[in-house]
Amino acid sequence: MRYGTRALLSKALLSLLLMAACGAQAHFQELIPSTDILTAETGNTLALSLKFTHPMEQGPVMSMAAPRRFGVMGPRGQEDLIDRLRPGGTDGKRTFQATYRAELPGDYIFFVEPAPYWEPAEGVMIVHYTKVIVDAFGAEQGWDQEIGLPVEIIPLVRPYGLWTGNLFRGIVKQDGKPVPFAAVEVEWRNDGSVTPPSDPYITQVVKTDANGVFSYAMPRSGWWGFAALLEGDTPLKSPDGDSVPVEAGALMWVQVRDMR
Ligand SMILES: [Cu+2]
């Protein structure tokens, strides 16, 4: 009995320490555009915001180093946008912003490969390959193209113009091949209007099926992030010089709106 209490206490202490490291729950790379649909009313200029954070808990924010790749696959093919990134953020927690002008109708798949992030609480380097898709001027073409990232979610549902309650489906790929039974973490980008009643409500967890396909019905309007967390092919060096595993995340963001 006494031993049980002590074990519980030290477990509680451990989780407190882990939280102190950078938040208890899932890390998510955010890549959020000012809109998912460009129209004559919105004009053709997009603002994109990149932040490494815990979306449901609204923080803490982890500082991003300069991303390795940032680009878009659009009607003109792939464009490198790395030079458009502008650092921002407060309290030494670096974030990035960019603007982009969509000149042709079509779908624009924005993607980022962040610099590896050292997470001492988990002993891993984290790299979240993240995508978001914006439709310009009603073309609705190109959203299901594959960028060819080492790990990637390919949507099986058109990823814009979604209503609250819609079922999102996607296929998780690593090195171009579907990943069966992979865990996919799901978080809502909290605007402060929801307090999760307990930890399991912060991050939803679904798994892919034997064909690498997952699905999730989104219960609230706003941005939803899907994160398939896989082990990278090649270990990386931690800041201490140790060879450590890589958490290779395939992330994708979609926005849903209430029907009214
Ligand atoms: Cu964190």
Side-chain angles (χ1 to χ4, degrees):
M1 187 70 185
R2 263 184 72 191
Y3 174 77
T5 313
R6 277 183 63 176
L8 265 179
L9 270 174
S10 65
K11 227 180 152 185
L13 197 66
L14 183 70
S15 61
L16 268 176
L17 285 172
L18 289 177
M19 268 195 277
C22 85
Q25 297 295 324
H27 309 58
F28 274 68
Q29 175 66 51
E30 289 187 357
L31 171 56
I32 305 290
S34 43
T35 180
D36 60 339
I37 300 172
L38 291 168
T39 62
E41 288 93 73
T42 64
N44 66 355
T45 303
L46 275 174
L48 294 131
S49 159
L50 294 84
K51 190 192 273 187
F52 192 39
T53 186
H54 303 252
M56 183 54 128
E57 298 166 284
Q58 298 187 281
V61 174
M62 285 78 67
S63 199
M64 288 178 71
R68 296 278 166 87
R69 283 175 81 193
F70 175 58
V72 65
M73 170 118 87
R76 284 194 178 138
Q78 247 188 62
E79 261 180 272
D80 182 358
L81 303 177
I82 198 92
D83 294 336
R84 312 248 185 136
L85 288 171
R86 296 286 168 266
T90 49
D91 305 329
K93 308 291 187 189
R94 191 149 59 147
T95 60
F96 286 89
Q97 286 92 46
T99 56
Y100 183 80
R101 203 176 306 232
E103 274 156 9
L104 294 172
D107 287 345
Y108 291 79
I109 307 175
F110 293 91
F111 60 92
V112 64
E113 177 187 342
Y117 176 87
W118 169 237
E119 178 45 77
E122 296 167 36
V124 294
M125 298 294 278
I126 299 176
V127 184
H128 283 178
Y129 298 85
T130 305
K131 299 194 330 192
V132 69
I133 297 162
V134 175
D135 176 59
F137 311 114
E140 300 188 28
Q141 288 291 326
W143 54 265
D144 50 359
Q145 283 193 81
E146 224 166 301
I147 304 287
L149 301 169
V151 294
E152 184 168 351
I153 290 175
I154 319 296
L156 294 174
V157 171
R158 193 195 56 190
Y160 46 80
L162 297 167
W163 297 118
T164 305
N166 273 21
L167 188 68
F168 185 71
R169 294 169 65 238
I171 181 161
V172 174
K173 290 194 175 181
Q174 182 160 26
D175 303 321
K177 291 188 284 291
V179 186
F181 311 118
V184 180
E185 297 188 341
V186 185
E187 284 203 18
W188 179 64
R189 192 167 179 252
N190 200 343
D191 56 9
S193 61
V194 171
T195 305
S198 57
D199 282 358
Y201 290 92
I202 297 171
T203 311
Q204 300 294 315
V205 180
V206 298
K207 290 185 80 172
T208 59
D209 65 13
N211 300 313
V213 173
F214 69 92
S215 56
Y216 180 78
M218 299 162 288
R220 194 172 176 84
S221 66
W223 284 97
W224 286 88
F226 297 90
L229 302 178
L230 304 163
E231 184 167 345
D233 296 327
T234 323
L236 284 174
K237 289 261 185 280
S238 75
D240 298 333
D242 302 322
S243 180
V244 294
V246 176
E247 174 187 293
L251 272 79
M252 194 171 154
W253 286 91
V254 300
Q255 187 177 32
V256 299
R257 288 188 173 81
D258 288 339
M259 259 185 133
R260 59 180 175 210

